[in-house]
Amino acid sequence: MRITVKLIQHDLLEDKKQILLETNALYDGNTLRYREENERGSHQVYFGDDCISFERKADVHTKITLFDDKDGESVVDSQYGKMYMQTRLCHAEKCDTYWSVEYQLIMNKEVVLHQNLRWEFTPVKNI
């Protein structure tokens, strides 16, 4: 199904919110696919029962995997090599009109990122 998605990022360490993008997307209930407006990167978000993952493919390839019952992993692959970080899912919500994921990235036992991502969905109306 074609939808419009708005991605809102809330940095919980600095208490800053911003809209990262609003674009058209493909949505099938568990997977969301969209491209950045400048066509530089493609995104795929999977929201399953026991695993959530989001991936950005561009000059820098990033994949974050989150689990309900255990820590996951973030992999950033760039021209400088691969960087790995531990991930921790704090809270997740999945409904027909939005997905919301609060998670942390941990490096050397320290939280380096704590954010909430919220994908809001609007059906594309046929003319």
Side-chain angles (χ1 to χ4, degrees):
M1 163 185 359
R2 294 186 69 80
I3 63 167
T4 299
V5 64
K6 177 172 26 173
L7 176 56
I8 303 164
Q9 176 191 48
H10 184 184
D11 181 328
L12 297 165
L13 292 177
E14 298 195 16
D15 195 26
K16 291 183 183 175
K17 273 189 182 181
Q18 65 178 332
I19 297 172
L20 294 181
L21 63 83
E22 290 185 67
T23 190
N24 291 327
L26 295 175
Y27 170 73
D28 72 5
N30 288 325
T31 305
L32 180 65
R33 291 181 181 88
Y34 55 89
R35 295 190 70 74
E36 294 171 4
E37 290 178 14
N38 60 14
E39 298 293 320
R40 286 198 162 161
S42 65
H43 296 254
Q44 178 172 301
V45 182
Y46 172 77
F47 203 127
D49 292 333
D50 58 352
C51 173
I52 299 168
S53 67
F54 27 103
E55 184 172 14
R56 178 179 184 265
K57 293 181 182 177
D59 292 344
V60 176
H61 182 179
T62 305
K63 184 167 185 182
I64 295 173
T65 307
L66 304 162
F67 299 98
D68 279 338
D69 57 351
K70 63 182 179 180
D71 288 346
E73 181 177 66
S74 169
V75 180
V76 179
D77 189 358
S78 74
Q79 64 200 34
Y80 304 107
K82 289 187 180 183
M83 179 172 61
Y84 298 89
M85 287 178 271
Q86 179 183 359
T87 62
R88 183 164 299 138
L89 178 62
C90 301
H91 183 74
E93 289 181 64
K94 180 181 181 184
C95 67
D96 292 338
T97 57
Y98 70 88
W99 292 349
S100 178
V101 177
E102 179 185 338
Y103 71 99
Q104 297 174 334
L105 291 181
I106 301 161
M107 182 177 268
N108 299 325
K109 299 183 181 182
E110 183 178 325
V111 175
V112 294
L113 177 75
H114 185 182
Q115 72 177 357
N116 181 277
L117 296 177
R118 182 179 172 104
W119 294 267
E120 296 180 351
F121 310 140
T122 306
V124 173
K125 296 179 181 168
N126 294 332
I127 300 175

